[in-house]
Amino acid sequence: MPAPYLMGALFGVWISGAVLPPLRQYLGVARWFHVPIVVGLGVLIGATFRQETISQVSAWWLTMTAMIVVTGIVTLLGYLFLHKRRGYEPRLALLCCIPGGQVEAITMAREMVDKDYVVALFHLVRVVIIFISTPFLLAVIEGHEAVERSNTILQVMPSIFDLNMHQISLFIGLATVGYLVARLCRIPMPHMLGPIGLSSLAHLTGWAELPRVNEFVILAQLVIGGAIGSRLAKVPFRDVFGYLKDATVNVMIILSGYVTVAIIIAHISHVSFLSIWLAFVPGGLYEVTLLALVFGFDVAFVAFHHTLRTILVFMSLPILINRLKGSKSS
């Protein structure tokens, strides 16, 4: 299978919880363990931003513009479907259909709508469908050789035992300081964007040079895959079946928009479709960038587009939600 550590952890935890209900209360990844993994992953993603990346950003104007436009279009289409066709109240519809910013959407839902669990379900369905389908998309489009290549890329990464004390100290320092500064500045997703920002700055200026670490990338796959699997195992499908159908239709609207634009951009720019797909598809910032890391695509390209969308969603969501009617009601 493509991305075996990631997919194995996801399906293993999900199936175990589904088959053995008493296990569900014990399934999950503790926050004290999950956050450091994401923080470290942020450092590795930031390390892909090299000095030559600065000159590449200006060449990404087409994909950046396309990503922003299609994000607006699929959000509008999803909102109209949920509000006009399915009768969701305006704020609930917007929080459910926004393609990204799941942490912010769920947090706002707890304060503004009764059915915050519906918002969480919509975002979970979107991330899971994208997360599961993308590795298989790689296998279908590029064949078995691409799957083998992705596993080889992981095997040839330096081991943690190949790092010297300076590199280990630098890794820990960038992770810790980046996270603390982001929290102090109240940046969204501080455990991810903080380390990415500081690590990117250090590598863009040539001050740092860190390799991707084999064991850490494997651990990140197990943790993120297991965390998603545990959330899936706890979803009470019988209670939310109607919402599950709406969430799936909403995901299809989102994916249809992004895949259409990705095909057009790939044809015009002669860039790999999968590379553009990973940069566009809203499957979660660290989930999708981890896939780019595992598959050997341009992680800086993918991470830059996802970071841009995260910032746009974070800045626009409070403005949009305050303009819509709706409040907590029984």
Side-chain angles (χ1 to χ4, degrees):
M1 288 182 66
Y5 296 101
L6 186 148
M7 301 296 283
L10 191 156
F11 282 110
V13 175
W14 183 11
I15 293 172
S16 297
V19 174
L20 302 172
L23 278 181
R24 293 174 190 169
Q25 61 179 315
Y26 303 106
L27 295 178
V29 179
R31 183 172 175 79
W32 63 264
F33 190 71
H34 186 272
V35 169
I37 293 298
V38 175
V39 168
L41 183 60
V43 174
L44 293 184
I45 293 171
T48 63
F49 287 83
R50 307 295 180 176
Q51 291 179 313
E52 58 270 20
T53 304
I54 298 177
S55 60
Q56 292 177 319
V57 171
S58 60
W60 296 343
W61 67 269
L62 177 61
T63 54
M64 288 189 295
T65 303
M67 188 268 294
I68 293 172
V69 172
V70 75
T71 297
I73 292 173
V74 297
T75 300
L76 177 60
L77 292 176
Y79 175 79
L80 292 175
F81 167 71
L82 294 176
H83 178 51
K84 300 294 185 182
R85 293 291 301 274
R86 301 297 297 158
Y88 286 52
E89 65 99 351
R91 288 182 174 179
L92 180 62
L94 178 62
L95 290 170
C96 286
C97 74
I98 198 80
Q102 58 261 38
V103 175
E104 291 76 20
I106 293 171
T107 301
M108 294 181 71
R110 290 170 182 165
E111 300 176 358
M112 296 186 172
V113 299
D114 282 328
K115 300 176 180 178
D116 59 320
Y117 65 92
V118 176
V119 177
L121 176 66
F122 267 69
H123 287 276
L124 176 61
V125 169
R126 171 175 53 80
V127 171
V128 168
I129 289 178
I130 292 170
F131 202 53
I132 292 177
S133 63
T134 300
F136 292 109
L137 196 62
L138 172 81
V140 170
I141 293 176
E142 299 194 5
H144 183 69
E145 290 183 0
V147 176
E148 289 294 329
R149 185 176 69 249
S150 68
N151 293 328
T152 301
I153 289 171
L154 181 61
Q155 293 170 4
V156 299
M157 287 182 184
S159 168
I160 191 171
F161 301 106
D162 296 328
L163 304 182
N164 55 46
M165 286 305 300
H166 171 72
Q167 291 174 314
I168 294 175
S169 301
L170 186 60
F171 182 91
I172 296 174
L174 290 173
T176 305
V177 175
Y179 172 64
L180 294 176
V181 169
R183 285 203 62 180
L184 184 65
C185 298
R186 296 186 178 182
I187 294 173
M189 296 179 64
H191 52 292
M192 188 68 179
L193 295 183
I196 286 180
L198 186 59
S199 179
S200 299
L201 180 62
H203 286 82
L204 285 170
T205 57
W207 180 71
E209 186 73 26
L210 289 175
R212 303 170 186 176
V213 183
N214 174 281
E215 292 88 352
F216 194 89
V217 174
I218 291 175
L219 185 60
Q221 293 182 71
L222 293 173
V223 168
I224 293 174
I228 293 177
S230 68
R231 292 201 297 271
L232 277 172
K234 296 174 183 177
V235 173
F237 287 108
R238 286 179 297 181
D239 298 339
V240 296
F241 183 70
Y243 294 115
L244 184 64
K245 291 189 293 184
D246 291 341
T248 303
V249 173
N250 183 65
V251 173
M252 294 303 106
I253 292 172
I254 292 172
L255 295 188
S256 297
Y258 281 112
V259 74
T260 301
V261 175
I263 291 173
I264 295 172
I265 297 296
H267 179 72
I268 294 173
S269 63
H270 303 291
V271 177
S272 165
F273 165 77
L274 280 174
S275 182
I276 297 175
W277 175 248
L278 286 171
F280 279 22
V281 68
L285 176 57
Y286 51 81
E287 288 92 348
V288 175
T289 47
L290 176 62
L291 289 175
L293 192 68
V294 172
F295 294 154
F297 290 107
D298 187 344
V299 181
F301 177 76
V302 173
F304 183 85
H305 285 73
H306 279 275
T307 302
L308 177 62
R309 178 172 46 227
T310 298
I311 294 172
L312 288 173
V313 169
F314 177 76
M315 294 176 63
S316 62
L317 189 56
I319 298 173
L320 293 173
I321 205 72
N322 286 329
R323 288 180 175 272
L324 294 175
K325 295 179 180 180
S327 60
K328 281 199 170 188
S329 60
S330 56

